[in-house]
Amino acid sequence: MPVRTPDPEPAGDEPFGPPPGNMSNPGWLSDIELAEARRRLPMLYVEAVPVRVDGMGVVTEVGMLLRATALGEITRTIVSGRVRYAEPLRDALFRHLENDLGPMAFPLLPPQPNPFTVVEYFPMPGLGAFHDDRQHAVSMAFVVPVTGTCEPRQDALEVTWMTPREAASDEVAAEMEGGRGTLVRMALASVGALR
């Protein structure tokens, strides 16, 4: 009886699961894989507006990151980053808070964090209020109280603590890319910090 060999997989069909290569961290993409994915798929992100609260839970300060762009421009932003393959959202949120604010920030994450909004960043300006030249991204945004000392890491230059009124100002919004000034205002409105 002849032995039948399986048909080869059709071109373009990839097996389910993490790609071979970086098995120590299969949730991470190489630069080439990331560029290819960004051309074909919306990317999932988490964003966090770090805040300090008083004993009654009222927001007293908002943490804004100062960063230098690839073009050498200085901008303000919030904690932001991709969710890895098979990574729970809570873990992704904690990882990015620690990466951007340092390990002593001590964020207070509930067991089941709920975003105050979900925003969509489009690669073409004008399709919505939020824009990202690199990709189409969907981001879940959270307000996260932090209780520790924030020392910026990764590509952040500093963390500036502002009053809610300062953080929601037109001047700060003008220093933020992609519509994140609007996102900060939405965050503050969601916790009753805009008056």
Side-chain angles (χ1 to χ4, degrees):
M1 182 164 166
V3 176
R4 188 177 187 294
T5 58
D7 294 332
E9 290 184 25
D13 286 1
E14 296 294 329
F16 182 74
N22 187 356
M23 295 315 282
S24 66
N25 186 355
W28 197 250
L29 300 173
S30 70
D31 289 343
I32 293 170
E33 291 168 327
L34 178 59
E36 183 64 24
R38 281 180 166 158
R39 281 193 295 272
R40 294 174 178 233
L41 303 166
M43 303 299 290
L44 179 61
Y45 276 70
V46 290
E47 293 184 290
V49 178
V51 297
R52 296 211 187 271
V53 297
D54 65 15
M56 296 296 290
V58 175
V59 172
T60 58
E61 294 181 301
V62 180
M64 306 292 280
L65 298 173
L66 195 65
R67 286 202 169 124
T69 67
L71 300 174
E73 299 168 331
I74 302 296
T75 62
R76 293 211 181 270
T77 193
I78 56 176
V79 173
S80 178
R82 288 190 318 271
V83 178
R84 294 177 178 164
Y85 176 83
E87 181 180 38
L89 291 176
R90 188 175 191 276
D91 293 356
L93 193 56
F94 185 83
R95 178 172 55 86
H96 288 295
L97 284 159
E98 186 174 84
N99 284 347
D100 285 348
L101 302 178
M104 303 303 286
F106 301 131
L108 300 176
L109 292 176
Q112 293 293 324
N114 290 311
F116 67 87
T117 194
V118 176
V119 296
E120 197 168 14
Y121 292 89
F122 290 101
M124 292 81 59
L127 291 179
F130 302 97
H131 173 252
D132 185 335
D133 287 330
R134 305 167 302 164
Q135 63 196 340
H136 177 190
V138 176
S139 180
M140 288 178 267
F142 302 83
V143 176
V144 180
V146 296
T147 59
T149 304
C150 296
E151 296 291 333
R153 296 177 16 171
Q154 302 289 14
D155 59 348
L157 302 173
E158 73 176 31
V159 180
T160 306
W161 291 97
M162 304 177 178
T163 66
R165 184 180 190 141
E166 291 169 332
S169 71
D170 290 339
E171 294 78 20
V172 170
E175 295 175 357
M176 302 185 86
E177 291 181 313
R180 284 189 176 87
T182 300
L183 189 60
V184 168
R185 289 177 180 148
M186 291 169 67
L188 295 172
S190 76
V191 294
L194 286 185
R195 293 184 175 88

